[in-house]
Each structure stands twice: as structure tokens, then as C-alpha cells.
Amino acid sequence: MPTSDGRLYGFKYVNGHPKNMREGRQTVTAFGVLADVGSGYPMLLSEMTILTALCTAATSALAAKYLAPKGSRAMAIIGNGAQSEFQAIAFKALTGIDRLRLYDIDRSASEKCARNLFGKGFDITICTTGQDAVEGVDIITTVTADKQCATILTDNMVGSGVHINAVGGDCPGKTELHRDILLRSDIFVEFPPQTRIEGEIQQLDADHTVTELWQVMTGQAQGRKTPEQITLFDSVGFATEDFSALRYVRDQLKATGLYEELDLLADPDEPRDLFGMLLRAALQPAA
Ligand code: NAD
């Protein structure tokens, strides 16, 4: 996921492999680089697995701030893996969610999530079905991992006035919501050309109307209009979010001391004498 503002260039190398979990590996792993456009020199190499979880949760909660019903307190989280606690905490911070209804096909994932969130100001219920989890909530977050067009939510599970935060459907052939839900919802996205390929809306016609989140945030489009409206944030993860995260890390890092200077680049004394550097190195006594 590359991007640039003309001064800095950044990319995130990210992968999502739901089957990894069976082999004791994570579903989502990432690292990223920030570089100086003027010289092309890399400036920062950062882990981005945690940053992805933070960025994704922050963007979801930001969207919900504009789209969720006013005074929302209860959220269902379906899929209680690596991303789930980050989502819960971001929603508490930005929208005031303090009641969670958790559901995962693997109950131990829900128990892990509940354990990790203990003492963080949530009233938590572990549910036995998705249907049970969405009972009485204001917001539904789907954040499951399965490489298929799954149906985590069926149309009858979504009542009027709910905000859906659909996170797990994020690449071609990988969705979570039944198409009928999309047809009843007002849909908000990060960047339409990308979301039409990767998001829930890959199930819809290419000209189906969607609203870009930035338009709502800048007042150029309306977010939630009525209490009955179903709003849907079709999250896929957009490169500028990661670019902001990398720049934030770079800005905060110096003061923490939590970094290492990496000797990554060949650095000859005379820039054109790269070969000479090798010759001189060969003459050095072995350490
Ligand atoms: P994870 O593997 O750690 O957790 C996924 C959980 O979903 C597992 O506990 C699994 O048991 C559960 N699950 C699978 N099928 C289910 C079903 N039918 N019903 C209920 N639970 C089910 O994965 P993760 O790191 O938490 O990521 C979750 C999803 O979010 C992945 O699909 C990932 O690609 C996606 N993701 C999206 C973004 C974005 O920007 N939109 C960012 C990060 C991750």
C-alpha cells in the first residue's frame, strides 16, 4: 500500500491469510517504510502489525462518530481475533461504547477478548450466536477472517437505525454481509475505486451510490440523517491512514528512544566509489 505527499513516500507491506491461524501464525502481518522523496533515502522501517490494528480501529471509530446513532452505548463484535480489542477500545474512546456483545465461532477467542478487556470499563456478554450478539445493539462490528464471500450477517439480523462497521471483508472474493443488507444501507467508504474491488460493495453494481467518509468529515456530505437509517462503513484500509501512522510514529519516536539506527544501506566514503568500498573492505582483517 504505497502513498506519497511529494515530500515523503511511504508504503505498508501487509498480508491477510486466514488459514495462518491453524498453523499458529497471525492472520494479518505488516511492516512499513517511510522515505525522503528528495533523496530516495529510507528514514524509518517500522513494524505495522500493531499499527494496522490501531489505524483500522481508529478509522472505524472515527466513521462511527459521524454515522452511528447519537448516544450509542452497545456494540456487537462478531469475530474476536487480533483486531477485536483494538476496535472495542477505539469505539469507547470516540463514541462512548461501554457495552459489548461478543461472538466468535471459536468461543476461546471471545473469552480471550473479554479477558483482555477486563477492567477497561466495559460490560461484556459472550454470546452463542451472531443473532444473539446483535440483539439490542446500536453498532455491529464484523471483523471475521475467512477467504470467501461469507454471510456473517443476514438481512433479518439488522434492524433499523443500526450502524454497521464492516471490517473483515477487505479483498476480492472476501465479504461478510448479505447483499440485501447493502441494498438497505447508506454506504460510506474510504476511497470508492479501491472499495469497489475490495469491500462489501464488490457485491453491488459499479455505479451504486456511496459516500466518501472525508466528505462527511468536512461537512460536504451528510452522515446519519435519520434515527431509522442503516449506515454502513465498508472498511478496507486505505494507504493514507498508514502514511499518517508512519509519520506519527516518526514524530513521536525521537523522544522515546525506542528505536535503533539500522546499518541498512551501503555507505561508501566517496558516493561513486561503491566498488572501491568492497575492495577496501576485503583488505580489512577479519573480525
Ligand atoms: P484473526 O484471525 O485474528 O481473527 C478472526 C476471528 O474471526 C477468529 O477468531 C475466527 O474464529 C473468527 N471467525 C471466522 N469466521 C467466523 C464466523 N463465521 N463467525 C464468527 N467468527 C468467525 O484476524 P484479525 O487480525 O482479527 O482480522 C480479522 C479480519 O479483519 C480479517 O479478515 C482481516 O483481513 C480484516 N482486517 C481488515 C482491515 C481493514 O482495514 N478493513 C484491517 C485489518 C484486518
Side-chain angles (χ1 to χ4, degrees):
M1 297 172 75
T3 195
S4 175
D5 61 5
R7 211 166 48 80
L8 293 170
Y9 164 82
F11 73 81
K12 176 168 83 167
Y13 172 93
V14 62
N15 269 273
H17 289 269
K19 69 169 176 43
N20 273 2
M21 214 190 12
R22 280 179 249 136
E23 291 144 23
R25 294 174 182 223
Q26 299 173 99
T27 297
V28 177
T29 49
F31 70 88
V33 168
L34 202 59
D36 172 42
V37 168
S39 66
Y41 272 45
M43 302 162 73
L44 173 74
L45 173 64
S46 174
E47 89 74 43
M48 289 197 85
T49 304
I50 295 169
L51 275 187
T52 295
L54 290 168
C55 253
T56 305
T59 308
S60 283
L62 182 66
K65 203 174 120 176
Y66 292 93
L67 304 175
K70 285 270 163 301
S72 293
R73 302 280 300 270
M75 175 163 84
I77 306 183
I78 302 182
N80 303 147
Q83 311 298 317
S84 58
E85 297 92 340
F86 295 88
Q87 289 279 333
I89 287 168
F91 274 77
K92 184 165 202 303
L94 287 193
T95 70
I97 287 295
D98 60 4
R99 287 203 293 274
L100 294 177
R101 296 181 67 79
L102 306 179
Y103 172 64
D104 195 294
I105 43 170
D106 178 355
R107 190 179 169 90
S108 72
S110 303
E111 288 167 353
K112 174 268 317 176
C113 181
R115 213 168 37 244
N116 286 340
L117 293 175
F118 180 76
K120 303 217 177 311
F122 295 103
D123 172 3
I124 300 176
T125 307
I126 296 181
C127 302
T128 48
T129 62
Q131 176 77 57
D132 180 20
V134 301
E135 214 55 59
V137 299
D138 311 292
I139 301 175
I140 303 172
T141 288
T142 55
V143 61
T144 63
D146 203 353
K147 217 142 202 168
Q148 60 165 331
C149 293
T151 310
I152 305 302
L153 289 183
T154 51
D155 196 28
N156 63 314
M157 290 166 76
V158 180
S160 70
V162 161
H163 173 65
I164 305 170
N165 169 42
V167 179
D170 60 354
C171 72
K174 181 162 168 271
T175 56
E176 294 181 304
L177 309 187
H178 192 284
R179 185 171 182 273
D180 289 349
I181 299 171
L182 310 184
L183 298 174
R184 286 165 65 213
S185 307
D186 287 300
I187 303 173
F188 298 82
V189 304
E190 289 146 309
F191 182 57
Q194 181 185 345
T195 314
R196 289 193 197 280
I197 295 169
E198 298 181 350
E200 295 299 325
I201 59 171
Q202 64 187 278
Q203 303 181 66
L204 300 179
D205 294 338
D207 59 354
H208 189 95
T209 303
V210 296
T211 306
E212 294 186 49
L213 187 57
W214 70 267
Q215 294 176 308
V216 179
M217 291 167 60
T218 54
Q220 295 175 46
Q222 212 175 334
R224 173 166 290 271
K225 295 176 192 141
T226 68
E228 297 77 33
Q229 183 187 15
I230 298 170
T231 50
L232 164 61
F233 176 51
D234 188 0
S235 159
V236 293
F238 187 38
T240 56
E241 293 153 20
D242 302 301
F243 190 56
S244 296
L246 281 171
R247 285 179 300 161
Y248 181 78
V249 166
R250 181 210 49 187
D251 292 347
Q252 301 301 311
L253 213 53
K254 274 266 157 25
T256 68
L258 297 172
Y259 65 92
E260 267 178 66
E261 297 283 350
L262 291 179
D263 192 11
L264 259 185
L265 301 184
D267 188 17
D269 298 336
E270 208 278 87
R272 285 170 303 184
D273 195 15
L274 188 60
F275 193 76
M277 181 190 79
L278 294 179
L279 292 179
R280 285 188 291 281
L283 293 176
Q284 296 287 320

